[in-house]
C-alpha cells in the first residue's frame, strides 16, 4: 500500500493518513509507504507534511496500529517518504 500526500493541506492529509492506515491494517497490509515529499524550501525550511506526519504517526489512534516507521530507501523516496510497519489486526 502507498499513500501520496503531495499537494495536500494538513487538514486534508491528517484524516487521509488515518483512513489509509485503518484500511491497510484491515486489509492485512504489514508494510506501507507514506509519501510526504521532501518539502525542502529555498530558505532551508522543511515542509509541513514532512514534519507533521511522524508526529501524527505517534498520536492515537495511529500509534496503536504501528510497530515502527522510518525513512524510506532512496529508491522509494528517501527522506520524502516513510515505511510504516503495521501490527496485525486485533
Amino acid at each position: 500500500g502507498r499513500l501520496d500526500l503531495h499537494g495536500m493541506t494538513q487538514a486534508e492529509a491528517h484524516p487521509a493518513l488515518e483512513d489509509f492506515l485503518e484500511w491497510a491494517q484491515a486489509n492485512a497490509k504489514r508494510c506501507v509507504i507514506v509519501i510526504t515529499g521532501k518539502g525542502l524550501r529555498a530558505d532551508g525550511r522543511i515542509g509541513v507534511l514532512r514534519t507533521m506526519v511522524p508526529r501524527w504517526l505517534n498520536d492515537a489512534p495511529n500509534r496503536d496500529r504501528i510497530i515502527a516507521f522510518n525513512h524510506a530507501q532512496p529508491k522509494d523516496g528517501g527522506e520524502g517518504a516513510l515505511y510504516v510497519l503495521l501490527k496485525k489486526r486485533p
Side-chain angles (χ1 to χ4, degrees):
R2 175 182 299 256
L3 174 65
D4 190 344
L5 300 174
H6 276 114
M8 290 188 189
T9 65
Q10 286 186 69
E12 296 166 332
H14 193 187
L17 177 65
E18 287 188 8
D19 290 347
F20 173 71
L21 295 175
E22 181 179 9
W23 169 87
Q25 189 178 43
N27 286 278
K29 305 292 183 189
R30 294 304 308 274
C31 186
V32 295
I33 297 177
V34 177
I35 302 166
T36 61
K38 294 189 176 158
L40 297 175
R41 299 189 176 148
D43 63 5
R45 292 184 305 146
I46 295 174
V48 173
L49 293 181
R50 186 170 158 201
T51 301
M52 294 305 297
V53 168
R55 291 181 189 177
W56 296 337
L57 291 173
N58 277 313
D59 289 341
N62 298 328
R63 185 72 246 165
D64 293 335
R65 295 185 177 108
I66 296 171
I67 295 171
F69 62 91
N70 204 350
H71 289 292
Q73 295 287 322
K75 68 181 178 75
D76 290 325
E79 292 186 7
L82 296 165
Y83 295 133
V84 181
L85 184 60
L86 298 169
K87 295 177 182 175
K88 289 183 180 178
R89 187 174 182 180

